[in-house]
Amino acid sequence: MNNALSKFLEKVIGRLTIRTWLCFLLFIANFLIAHGAAMYWKFNRSPVELIIGIILTIILLFILSEPS
Amino acid sequence: MQEEKNIFSQKNSPEALKEKSLLAELNKKPLLQRWRGYLKLTGPAAMEAATTLGAGSFTSAVAMGAAYGYKMLWVPFYSYGVGLFMLALAARFAIASDIPIIEAQNKFHTKFVGSLATGIIACYLAMVVFAFGQYALGTDALQSLFSLFGINFPRSVNWIIIFLISAYLALIYGRHGSTKYVKYVENAMKIFIGIMLITFLAVIFKTGIHLGAFFKGLVIPTLPKGIEGITMAIAGLTAAMGVGDWVQFHYAMRARGYSEEHEQLARFDAVVSGLIPVTLVLSLVTVAFAQIYSGKPNIPTSVSELGSGLVSVLPSIWVKIAFYIGIEAVVISTMVGMSMLAATTFCESVGWAPDPDKPYWKILILTPQIGLLGAFFGKPIWAVIIVAALQSIFNWISGVSWYLLGNDKRYLGEKRIKTRIFNFGVLLSVVLLNLVFITFILSRLGVWPNE
């Protein structure tokens, strides 16, 4: 499993490794946290965006912490 | 023709080879014996810690103590704690490859990431602009120190003391490409940090301390609920450590010729000469101001007034003197560290050999000294805002680049990151830097509250 995940992360798509693409996805997940937090606490909107951001960040941290 | 020396290419210098064989033996010894041996060899983290302990962190510690009492003591401890993973990565880069980090970023991630984001913006510009604040604080403290004896020694004149000491130490760093002069400056930084600890401890003896509240505030983070809590957590966790600190630690190790045998020493150094003194010094300052101001009405807002208020209640003239000497140690050591980092990163960014004997190195190492104008005009707020904004925008790119290089076989080969916990720690810093950038943009758009 770990070896498979590691190989997957090092695959190259569009001149960049999947690890790099997932770093960009992590950035988007972090954006959802910040934007979702502002929407929820400042504008009293639904917390769904914040929750998605947190869950996505945790999943990505788990995947990206796999060594190469 | 004079031979070109590279201060950051010392792995085969006689001193580094001697240290390497000593460490090969030392690394096999029992824990306590090993640590005792390491203590004599520490140094690069002292360079980094001395830079971190500057006017910015001192001012934050003063303000937090006065406003929140003991509640925010966790900030430097946790901030530096999270940053330890990046320092460990900086060490890995220094020991596992002959390519310095900015050059590696240029090679594998473009010059935009290496030279611009890491070298020029996160380090060089920041060191030059933030030097104004050092002089503003240092000259103010010198003026107050001499006024204790009824001597008028104004800021417009006393800046020369800070200039002479810091410029001298910065200029001899790595002189003649020798690690002897690297260690000389590292030892000077250790002495300055020692002075900070002794002087601020003397202040605490007079102001008093609540030990229970101290340990609680240090270990248990206190945050308000909601968006203010997130803002405070992001600001707090990025307060004591940034890209400049990682870069400085990396190059300071290269200047000592660190190799594989040095990795355990580097980690020990980061904790003993970095985490512990930085946390202690900033905590002592916070406690002193918490004891005097916390919970009282009409607290002054400027650091100068807060400092004067603290000094006025200290009963002993010696402790008053100690307080101001502590501030001078903060300022002078930071100016030395900033100067070294400014010259290093500029040379690395433009591809010039970092040779301390060259005239361009001497000019570059003196560029942060333009901050002496801070003695006359204070901080140029517009420049500080621009550089802080640029850092918010670009630092996350440096963070991602470091994480990727830590996992890159082309750069580190078999010494690349091999454990999940190491990667996780590095990614925590990346997430924090992402959030700094995102909240900066959102606050400009009116979505996130301004600090």
Side-chain angles (χ1 to χ4, degrees):
Chain A
M1 165 63 193
N2 285 355
N3 198 21
L5 180 57
S6 179
K7 278 184 182 163
F8 168 75
L9 287 171
E10 301 317 312
K11 270 188 189 166
V12 176
I13 296 176
R15 295 181 65 198
L16 297 176
T17 60
I18 289 178
R19 192 183 290 275
T20 311
W21 287 114
L22 289 182
C23 282
F24 294 136
L25 191 59
L26 178 66
F27 181 86
I28 293 169
N30 296 161
F31 176 84
L32 293 180
I33 290 179
H35 191 259
M39 288 295 121
Y40 178 59
W41 276 298
K42 202 176 164 198
F43 299 104
N44 293 318
R45 302 259 183 88
S46 152
V48 171
E49 188 185 349
L50 172 64
I51 294 166
I52 292 172
I54 291 170
I55 293 171
L56 200 53
T57 297
I58 292 168
I59 292 170
L60 285 167
L61 283 178
F62 175 79
I63 295 171
L64 285 169
S65 60
E66 176 67 32
S68 66
Chain B
M1 199 179 135
Q2 201 188 355
E3 194 194 344
E4 200 168 67
K5 301 174 197 86
N6 183 338
I7 188 191
F8 301 117
S9 202
Q10 299 285 344
K11 274 189 185 169
N12 294 318
S13 69
E15 296 95 337
L17 290 173
K18 194 175 153 196
E19 206 169 276
K20 189 177 164 177
S21 61
L22 178 71
L23 279 165
E25 289 301 311
L26 201 55
N27 288 339
K28 293 176 202 156
K29 298 250 166 87
L31 193 70
L32 285 178
Q33 228 175 320
R34 207 185 320 154
W35 283 2
R36 217 171 32 234
Y38 287 166
L39 269 179
K40 295 174 194 156
L41 302 170
T42 56
M47 285 299 296
E48 183 278 318
T51 314
T52 297
L53 290 167
S57 51
F58 177 84
T59 306
S60 299
V62 168
M64 281 193 296
Y68 300 105
Y70 286 66
K71 284 181 187 163
M72 300 301 282
L73 280 173
W74 62 272
V75 166
F77 179 58
Y78 278 84
S79 172
Y80 209 100
V82 171
L84 279 178
F85 288 96
M86 297 310 289
L87 296 187
L89 186 56
R92 183 64 62 87
F93 293 155
I95 62 142
S97 174
D98 289 332
I99 308 175
I101 184 60
I102 292 176
E103 210 179 309
Q105 287 182 290
N106 286 346
K107 186 175 175 185
F108 299 112
H109 296 157
T110 76
K111 284 189 174 178
F112 175 81
V113 177
S115 291
L116 183 70
T118 305
I120 298 296
I121 292 172
C123 297
Y124 182 74
L125 281 181
M127 295 309 114
V128 173
V129 169
F130 296 155
F132 285 81
Q134 311 303 323
Y135 268 98
L137 176 69
T139 53
D140 193 42
L142 267 178
Q143 188 171 309
S144 303
L145 172 62
F146 279 88
S147 72
L148 292 175
F149 305 98
I151 300 169
N152 181 28
F153 192 33
R155 302 169 61 154
S156 56
V157 182
N158 70 35
W159 59 267
I160 197 123
I161 292 182
I162 298 169
F163 173 81
L164 286 176
I165 302 172
S166 62
Y168 166 75
L169 286 170
L171 280 167
I172 62 165
Y173 186 81
R175 200 167 156 192
H176 309 319
S178 163
T179 49
K180 188 178 110 186
Y181 289 104
V182 171
K183 284 185 183 172
Y184 182 88
V185 177
E186 285 174 355
N187 288 337
M189 295 301 102
K190 287 181 191 173
I191 291 169
F192 280 120
I193 292 171
I195 291 171
M196 292 175 214
L197 284 169
I198 292 166
T199 52
F200 295 138
L201 200 58
V203 174
I204 294 297
F205 272 119
K206 293 296 172 186
T207 60
I209 181 171
H210 297 297
L211 278 176
F214 175 80
F215 287 113
K216 193 181 166 198
L218 191 68
V219 179
I220 303 169
T222 312
L223 289 169
K225 281 185 182 161
I227 205 157
E228 289 78 16
I230 299 177
T231 307
M232 206 178 265
I234 296 168
L237 290 173
T238 50
M241 175 98 55
V243 177
D245 299 284
W246 318 337
V247 174
Q248 179 148 47
F249 190 50
H250 172 79
Y251 283 99
M253 283 181 284
R254 295 193 73 88
R256 284 274 301 271
Y258 272 30
S259 52
E260 273 189 44
E261 286 76 5
H262 286 80
E263 189 157 25
Q264 284 190 57
L265 167 67
R267 291 179 179 188
F268 177 84
D269 193 17
V271 174
V272 171
S273 313
L275 174 71
I276 294 172
V278 167
T279 304
L280 271 178
V281 168
L282 295 179
S283 299
L284 291 175
V285 173
T286 303
V287 167
F289 284 86
Q291 286 292 109
I292 302 301
Y293 292 106
S294 183
K296 303 222 169 99
N298 306 320
I299 297 171
T301 48
S302 81
V303 176
S304 177
E305 285 173 328
L306 284 165
S308 304
L310 170 71
V311 169
S312 68
V313 297
L314 292 173
S316 155
I317 182 82
W318 294 108
V319 181
K320 291 178 196 227
I321 293 167
F323 176 70
Y324 287 125
I325 288 175
I327 294 178
E328 293 315 317
V330 165
V331 167
I332 292 168
S333 61
T334 300
M335 281 306 301
V336 177
M338 287 173 116
S339 302
M340 174 262 178
L341 187 58
T344 302
T345 50
F346 193 92
C347 284
E348 288 288 289
S349 297
V350 298
W352 294 351
D355 180 349
D357 291 343
K358 295 280 187 209
Y360 62 78
W361 172 274
K362 289 172 184 165
I363 293 167
L364 282 170
I365 213 159
L366 289 176
T367 49
Q369 298 290 353
I370 194 177
L372 65 88
L373 294 173
F376 299 89
F377 310 113
K379 280 189 285 188
I381 300 296
W382 60 271
V384 173
I385 290 171
I386 290 172
V387 170
L390 284 171
Q391 287 197 311
S392 300
I393 293 166
F394 286 94
N395 280 2
W396 71 279
I397 299 171
S398 299
V400 170
S401 166
W402 277 50
Y403 159 75
L404 291 171
L405 285 174
N407 287 277
D408 198 326
K409 285 180 195 171
R410 296 169 302 169
Y411 183 36
L412 296 181
E414 287 311 306
K415 288 297 287 180
R416 67 189 183 279
I417 294 176
K418 291 281 176 60
T419 60
R420 268 187 174 273
I421 186 78
F422 196 167
N423 259 338
F424 183 80
V426 170
L427 283 164
L428 271 185
S429 288
V430 172
V431 168
L432 285 169
L433 292 175
N434 283 349
L435 289 171
V436 167
F437 170 60
I438 294 160
T439 52
F440 172 77
I441 298 295
L442 289 179
S443 65
R444 293 298 165 282
L445 296 172
V447 177
W448 193 268
N450 280 312
E451 282 167 47

